[in-house]
Amino acid sequence: MNQQNADAGHSGASPQVVVLTVQNQFMKNYNYLVVDPSSRRAVIVDPAWQMEKIDRALIDAQANLCGILITHSHPDHIHLAKPIAEEYGCPIWMAKEETAISGFNARQLISIDTTPWTVGQLLIEPIFTPGHTPGSTCYLIGDNAFTGDVLFAEGCGICPNIQAAHAMFASLERLKARLKPQTRIFPGHSYGKPPGQMLSLLLKDNIYLQLPDKESFAAFRLRSGQDEAKMFSFS
Ligand SMILES: [Fe+2]
């Protein structure tokens, strides 16, 4: 387990981000526990695969889980949402557009728009970033952005077609405009770099943030010969 502290900026709190690496056969994901140090209230992002790791992280952090943030509805991002919502009696937040296209449902589900809300002193700001899926959403908490399968340190999420790639280009432009250079990026997966890289580093190294227009972006994102076997690599 890896813990990082970052300046919250907006809310005055300093969220603690606990990074959990979880795995199911070939699938490897990052789950993030975000804790408000003043109230010990916490949220978890995209919980999957290893309930015991999440339970243990909450005990170790002496945190009270108050909600589940879902970036998108793919199985490796929602796998434990319902069981955790039952165990801890907390809501599941997912963009209304993602709820609509996925059919995901749960007693605890709250379909959201981009209106921010607070958990303890954590200010949670959704940023609508379609492309990987039609309702993909990133969450900004202080100077930490939880980007699911939209933005990785080394690239961006798979886009199923040219319209999705155009949407992804606009979403990445939105993130570039909205986030600060020092914002730390916490993606759903890694392809080499550890989570928590600053946006300023990605702007320099990530080619998907450098393409000038949606046409060249789509041509590159949808190019042939990409190695999908590395899709879940943590190497
Ligand atoms: Fe995904």
Side-chain angles (χ1 to χ4, degrees):
M1 191 183 305
N2 176 20
Q3 297 196 348
Q4 305 194 22
N5 289 296
D7 181 7
H10 300 275
S11 67
S14 294
Q16 178 187 25
V17 180
V18 180
V19 180
L20 302 173
T21 306
V22 295
Q23 183 166 4
N24 178 37
Q25 299 180 347
F26 68 94
M27 302 190 92
K28 298 174 183 175
N29 290 64
Y30 284 116
N31 290 180
Y32 301 106
L33 183 64
V34 189
V35 185
D36 167 23
S38 58
S39 66
R40 307 315 295 174
R41 290 163 70 87
V43 296
I44 190 154
V45 182
D46 288 354
W49 308 138
Q50 292 182 268
M51 186 73 135
E52 71 287 355
K53 271 199 178 181
I54 295 164
D55 289 336
R56 171 49 57 190
L58 283 160
I59 292 167
D60 289 348
Q62 297 182 296
N64 173 23
L65 190 69
C66 296
I68 300 162
L69 296 170
I70 300 295
T71 62
H72 66 293
S73 59
H74 285 166
D76 58 320
H77 295 259
I78 61 165
H79 172 254
L80 287 177
K82 284 187 194 177
I84 289 178
E86 289 292 338
E87 181 177 344
Y88 291 94
C90 64
I92 303 167
W93 295 296
M94 181 189 283
K96 62 185 190 320
E97 293 85 354
E98 192 72 0
T99 303
I101 60 103
S102 67
F104 178 82
N105 206 356
R107 198 165 49 84
Q108 304 87 349
L109 176 64
I110 299 175
S111 294
I112 58 168
D113 56 23
T114 54
T115 306
W117 73 98
T118 56
V119 170
Q121 291 192 38
L122 302 174
L123 177 65
I124 301 171
E125 300 179 85
I127 305 172
F128 187 53
T129 49
H132 179 64
T133 64
S136 279
T137 296
C138 299
Y139 297 96
L140 181 62
I141 307 178
D143 273 345
N144 312 290
F146 301 89
T147 56
D149 289 358
V150 175
L151 177 61
F152 305 124
E154 310 82 357
C156 74
I158 288 173
C159 301
N161 54 48
I162 195 161
Q163 290 79 17
H166 288 169
M168 177 67 93
F169 175 78
S171 293
L172 295 176
E173 291 296 302
R174 183 170 301 135
L175 288 177
K176 285 160 67 175
R178 178 75 185 273
L179 305 180
K180 299 180 202 164
Q182 69 268 29
T183 302
R184 294 193 180 274
I185 307 299
F186 292 96
H189 309 278
S190 168
Y191 301 88
K193 292 192 170 111
Q197 302 292 321
M198 283 191 189
L199 179 66
S200 56
L201 195 88
L202 274 60
L203 290 169
K204 195 159 59 69
D205 293 347
N206 185 334
I207 191 170
Y208 292 92
L209 297 177
Q210 299 166 354
L211 296 160
D213 52 60
K214 68 179 185 179
E215 287 79 18
S216 55
F217 180 92
F220 186 71
R221 174 64 278 191
L222 302 174
R223 70 195 183 280
S224 58
Q226 298 181 69
D227 186 358
E228 304 233 335
K230 291 185 178 167
M231 205 163 80
F232 294 100
S233 171
F234 266 104
S235 61

